[in-house]
Amino acid sequence: MNRRHRWLAVLAAAALALISTSAVLGYAGEVAGAVTVTPPTGTLKCGVPLTVSATIVDKDGKPIAGQPVAWTFASSPSGADAINATPTITDANGVATTTVTLACVAGSRTIRASADNVYASAVLGITAGGLPGTSTLSGSTPAGTLPIGPILAILAILAGAGIMARRLVLNPR
């Protein structure tokens, strides 16, 4: 492999890193800046589907339409609790909904909605013996966003430079 090919390999790795960065990060208007989870109101009953919603906005507070939202139980006293649809997609108002069915096991469950690398949670509770419980909003807890694109870019550049350096040492010409 001559010097020209080595440089082309490094440039190709850098271009791939740049493409990966833009594909992962998107433009600022479509990247989630905050997530708010709204639990069902009133008395919760076990074994009955309950609607939970999440609102996704960008860094400027504008709703994001068409955003996939992943739903998980961050904690639960029962493996029988179920999320009936995940991921769901936000509507024109930036709102995505899913239904959950809670098992008749006493205790609090934390349901989490995440979009991009930002999430929020709400606590859903069932009282002893599967009697009706209440829901409380734990508040929006945006996580620090994970800069996947820049990390991939740096790794690709380092990989390309490592290959080139190895070639230079092994095949000095």
Side-chain angles (χ1 to χ4, degrees):
M1 182 182 242
N2 64 28
R3 182 178 288 196
R4 181 173 174 226
H5 288 125
R6 285 188 285 263
W7 280 111
L8 286 175
V10 170
L11 289 175
L16 176 64
L18 210 56
I19 290 168
S20 297
T21 301
S22 62
V24 170
L25 297 179
Y27 65 89
E30 67 180 13
V31 175
V35 176
T36 305
V37 176
T38 306
T41 58
T43 302
L44 302 183
K45 295 183 180 178
C46 62
V48 177
L50 306 165
T51 301
V52 182
S53 64
T55 304
I56 314 299
V57 296
D58 66 13
K59 67 178 181 68
D60 296 323
K62 296 178 183 169
I64 302 173
Q67 175 74 48
V69 177
W71 298 90
T72 58
F73 280 110
S75 66
S76 174
S78 174
D81 290 338
I83 298 172
N84 301 326
T86 188
T88 57
I89 306 295
T90 58
D91 61 16
N93 297 316
V95 177
T97 60
T98 192
T99 56
V100 297
T101 304
L102 305 179
C104 292
V105 175
S108 296
R109 291 97 163 122
T110 302
I111 188 164
R112 178 178 289 167
S114 59
D116 293 328
N117 290 311
V118 182
Y119 66 88
S121 302
V123 177
L124 309 174
I126 297 293
T127 59
L131 297 174
T134 59
S135 66
T136 56
L137 179 64
S138 67
S140 178
T141 54
T145 57
L146 182 63
I148 291 282
I151 290 172
L152 289 175
I154 291 168
L155 289 175
I157 290 168
L158 290 174
I163 290 169
M164 189 176 96
R166 188 177 69 177
R167 287 290 196 179
L168 291 173
V169 172
L170 295 177
N171 293 327
R173 290 188 186 176

